[in-house]
Amino acid sequence: MTTTLDTGPKVDPRPDGAPSRARSAGRTAGRLLPLGPALVLLALFMAGPVVWSFYGSFTDAALTGAAAQESSWIGLDNYTGLFSDPNFPKSVWLTVVFVVTSAIIGQNVLGLTLAMLMRQATGVVRAVVGTLVVTAWVLPEIVAAFAAYAFFHADGTLNEALGLVGLGGSNWLYDFPMLAVIIANIWRGAAFSMMVYAAALANLPPDVTEAATVDGASGPKRLMYVTLPMIRRSISTNFMLTTLMTLQVFTLIYVMTAGGPGTDSSTLPILAYQEAFSFGRVGYGTAIATIMLLIGAVFSIIYIRMLRPEVD
């Protein structure tokens, strides 16, 4: 009879966890492999232009002269000139006003209101209102811009309608250019917010709202303490999307006011275009675009932090 003595646990000569780490690395590589082509395309068509644009903001690239053929490195000169330009802080302020009023407030409030009203409406009303609202969103931006221009023009639809009821009109695009482009952007973008909030409201459990109603909560209280907290993640996501989309609005403003009168509606995209293509200072215009990219990154970080508690 052979007796086997138990001498204790066997010692693996390999480093602790090496096989486990190898298998984990293999699984990670296997999951990332199908993403390879997409990552390459993102690097080429998104990260690449961003890096090249960032480099270009430190050069004297131009459309005319010697710099048009071969630009040279000028360091922070573009940024120094930018922050000493009186038009730049005004454009930053107009951009912030445009984004906050037309996207964060206007599109989100109107979109949520429409989504809530359409939940209570009949099928015919939902179809008609939905079609009218979504039409503004699906129109090509250039078409929507010309429609808004015709509406706010001194001889346009708005003044004609005001004249029919005995009210005096105004040269809206000259006297109130920012108000005109803000309203036009709300009109164009509210449909996107409406669809986002309609989907979020459709996923609300009805028993929670019914319980709040039974407990005596009024409509505003149900909205503030039940509905909005439950769709908080959709609100934060929509804030981020509408902010980034509005931050890059160019065609709408350029067609309606071209940044005027003077620089009274010249947001950062308009200022960057004018400096790069109207005045031929491509490097300077690229510096403005880089600042705009940083502003968008700041907004994105804020919204991502708003989402973090729910993600965690």
Side-chain angles (χ1 to χ4, degrees):
M1 180 176 180
T2 304
T3 303
T4 303
L5 298 177
D6 187 0
T7 58
K10 296 182 179 180
V11 178
D12 192 339
R14 293 171 294 185
D16 291 342
S20 177
R21 286 198 299 269
R23 285 193 298 269
S24 177
R27 286 194 298 267
T28 302
R31 294 191 187 105
L32 292 178
L33 186 60
L35 298 176
L39 294 176
V40 171
L41 291 176
L42 286 173
L44 286 176
F45 297 105
M46 292 190 67
V50 169
V51 173
W52 183 254
S53 174
F54 184 72
Y55 168 78
S57 68
F58 294 97
T59 67
D60 62 349
L63 293 179
T64 59
Q69 182 176 2
E70 185 177 356
S71 60
S72 58
W73 180 272
I74 59 173
L76 295 174
D77 287 358
N78 284 329
Y79 292 96
T80 302
L82 188 62
F83 286 104
S84 62
D85 185 352
N87 290 327
F88 177 70
K90 183 179 181 180
S91 290
V92 173
W93 169 247
L94 291 175
T95 302
V96 172
V97 169
F98 181 62
V99 170
V100 171
T101 54
S102 69
I104 298 177
I105 297 176
Q107 292 181 15
N108 280 275
V109 171
L110 181 58
L112 179 60
T113 303
L114 289 172
M116 296 182 67
L117 291 176
M118 289 183 66
R119 289 192 74 193
Q120 310 299 325
T122 62
V124 175
V125 173
R126 281 200 301 269
V128 173
V129 174
T131 301
L132 293 176
V133 174
V134 173
T135 298
W137 184 55
V138 299
L139 281 175
E141 188 175 5
I142 186 67
V143 177
F146 276 111
Y149 174 81
F151 182 78
F152 285 105
H153 193 268
D155 298 323
T157 309
L158 178 57
N159 283 344
E160 290 293 329
L162 292 174
L164 292 177
V165 296
L167 297 177
S170 176
N171 191 349
W172 302 98
L173 299 176
Y174 185 85
D175 297 331
F176 308 100
M178 282 304 298
L179 178 62
V181 296
I182 285 170
I183 293 175
N185 193 57
I186 294 173
W187 162 71
R188 175 162 167 74
F192 178 80
S193 296
M194 182 191 71
M195 290 186 290
V196 171
Y197 291 132
L201 293 172
N203 290 326
L204 286 179
D207 54 336
V208 176
T209 304
E210 292 171 2
T213 304
V214 171
D215 290 340
S218 61
K221 286 186 177 180
R222 290 198 302 272
L223 175 64
M224 291 298 298
Y225 299 110
V226 178
T227 303
L228 293 182
M230 294 185 70
I231 64 171
R232 177 176 174 274
R233 187 171 182 179
S234 296
I235 293 174
S236 298
T237 302
N238 196 57
F239 273 4
M240 180 169 63
L241 294 176
T242 54
T243 296
L244 295 180
M245 287 189 293
T246 301
L247 188 62
Q248 63 182 354
V249 169
F250 169 79
T251 305
L252 187 72
I253 301 176
Y254 191 78
V255 169
M256 291 181 66
T257 67
T263 58
D264 287 349
S265 61
S266 181
T267 57
L268 287 176
I270 300 295
L271 182 64
Y273 173 84
Q274 290 173 338
E275 292 292 344
F277 298 105
S278 297
F279 304 134
R281 304 166 66 187
V282 177
Y284 192 79
T286 305
I288 299 173
T290 302
I291 297 297
M292 189 170 61
L293 180 65
L294 295 177
I295 293 174
V298 170
F299 275 111
S300 299
I301 291 171
I302 293 173
Y303 294 136
I304 290 172
R305 290 183 66 85
M306 291 171 61
L307 281 169
R308 182 176 296 174
E310 286 200 34
V311 174
D312 293 339

